[in-house]
């Protein structure tokens, strides 16, 4: 089993749709969690950290379920500019040594 | 505030040539990383440096060496490039405390012919 798995995608959705991505991780000792977006041929950019209580940033909502070892990202009212690959990233410890990346889920928002 | 800066942005090498990829960060971060990204493979860790003066192998270190020159700079060297090293290389850094994310440089696209 891979350490971090994501929905295989791609997701093709119309503008204005709500889309949800899921990510599961295998190491129960994982400490911190992040969602990154990566545009084609560019570097990954932090979208949001994921906190235990869940957190929201505008149209984006992240949830963490430690018992089931999964993380989710919800995008509401999707825009054309949301088209990108979304990477789930898990840090096994809080000393920065062990970030594990999921393979990513590609999203295309269609006009 | 530049963040993480990588040079060069693009490079073409012939098999057997050597080169050094440079990375510098101005955020006073302790930890620095080198990743490679290939189609369908996701990001894989080559080497990392937890702090100035230390380096450790990641998942795919063969064919690479690194130097943590000081707190700001972390370079990646290919001594004898091979076509299998054609990839996009990303440098990243983090404060390495608490819930701190990685900050990435713009990447270096390397082609080995």
């Amino acid at each position: 089993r891979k350490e971090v798995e994501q929905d295989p995608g791609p997701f093709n959705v119309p503008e204005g749709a709500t889309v949800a991505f899921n990510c599961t991780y295998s190491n129960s000792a994982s400490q911190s969690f992040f969602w990154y977006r990566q545009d084609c041929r560019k570097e990954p950019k932090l979208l949001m950290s994921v906190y235990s209580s869940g957190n929201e940033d505008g149209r984006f909502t992240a949830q963490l379920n430690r018992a089931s070892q999964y993380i989710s990202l919800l995008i509401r009212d999707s825009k054309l500019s949301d088209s990108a690959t979304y990477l789930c990233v898990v840090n096994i410890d809080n000393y920065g040594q062990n970030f594990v990346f999921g393979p990513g889920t590609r999203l295309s928002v269609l006009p | 505030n530049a963040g993480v800066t990588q040079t060069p942005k693009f490079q073409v090498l012939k098999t057997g040539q050597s080169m050094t990829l440079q990375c510098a960060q101005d955020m006073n971060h302790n930890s620095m990383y080198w990743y490679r990204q290939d189609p369908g493979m996701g990001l894989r860790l080559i080497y990392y440096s937890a702090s100035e003066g230390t380096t450790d192998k990641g998942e795919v270190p063969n064919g690479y060496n690194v130097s943590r020159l000081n707190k700001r700079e972390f370079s990646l060297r290919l001594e004898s490039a091979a076509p299998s090293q054609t990839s996009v290389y990303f440098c990243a850094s983090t404060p390495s405390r608490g819930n701190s994310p990685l900050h990435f440089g713009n990447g270096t696209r390397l082609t080995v012919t």
Side-chain angles (χ1 to χ4, degrees):
Chain A
R1 182 184 171 189
K2 293 182 181 175
E3 288 191 77
V4 178
E5 298 191 65
Q6 295 185 239
D7 293 329
F11 284 34
N12 298 313
V13 303
E15 264 187 297
T18 295
V19 60
F21 301 129
N22 294 309
C23 168
T24 57
Y25 60 94
S26 60
N27 191 327
S28 60
S30 299
Q31 296 289 329
S32 48
F33 310 89
F34 310 93
W35 282 104
Y36 281 74
R37 70 168 279 164
Q38 186 173 26
D39 294 288
C40 189
R41 303 172 75 83
K42 298 286 185 68
E43 77 275 19
K45 292 186 177 176
L46 179 69
L47 182 64
M48 56 199 305
S49 300
V50 186
Y51 303 117
S52 297
S53 55
N55 47 302
E56 187 173 308
D57 182 3
R59 297 182 293 109
F60 300 86
T61 301
Q63 297 280 349
L64 168 63
N65 185 319
R66 284 190 185 269
S68 301
Q69 294 181 204
Y70 84 78
I71 307 146
S72 64
L73 175 69
L74 185 75
I75 305 176
R76 290 181 301 277
D77 188 25
S78 52
K79 312 289 185 193
L80 295 176
S81 58
D82 293 332
S83 297
T85 296
Y86 289 83
L87 302 172
C88 173
V89 183
V90 174
N91 190 8
I92 305 300
D93 63 67
N94 272 346
Y95 296 97
Q97 308 308 326
N98 205 347
F99 289 87
V100 182
F101 287 77
T105 302
R106 173 91 187 126
L107 171 67
S108 292
V109 181
L110 308 172
Chain B
N1 195 348
V4 181
T5 303
Q6 286 184 237
T7 56
K9 289 192 187 320
F10 302 93
Q11 184 72 49
V12 178
L13 292 177
K14 294 187 189 305
T15 298
Q17 287 184 318
S18 62
M19 78 161 294
T20 299
L21 281 64
Q22 307 286 354
C23 175
Q25 51 89 12
D26 61 3
M27 297 175 283
N28 201 37
H29 286 171
N30 290 320
S31 298
M32 297 184 74
Y33 305 77
W34 278 105
Y35 290 92
R36 61 178 288 173
Q37 188 174 33
D38 303 294
M41 296 292 288
L43 280 141
R44 293 184 292 169
L45 182 64
I46 304 171
Y47 271 93
Y48 68 95
S49 170
S51 60
E52 186 179 353
T54 68
T55 61
D56 284 287
K57 294 178 180 179
E59 182 184 353
V60 288
N62 291 344
Y64 305 95
N65 286 302
V66 290
S67 296
R68 183 75 183 267
L69 304 169
N70 47 55
K71 192 169 186 179
R72 290 187 64 248
E73 298 172 287
F74 187 38
S75 62
L76 178 72
R77 182 159 178 83
L78 287 70
E79 291 291 351
S80 179
S84 61
Q85 294 177 305
T86 294
S87 189
V88 180
Y89 292 85
F90 291 105
C91 177
S93 69
T94 183
S96 69
R97 60 176 182 275
N99 194 23
S100 301
L102 286 167
H103 299 258
F104 284 88
N106 291 340
T108 296
R109 296 192 173 279
L110 174 67
T111 301
V112 183
T113 61

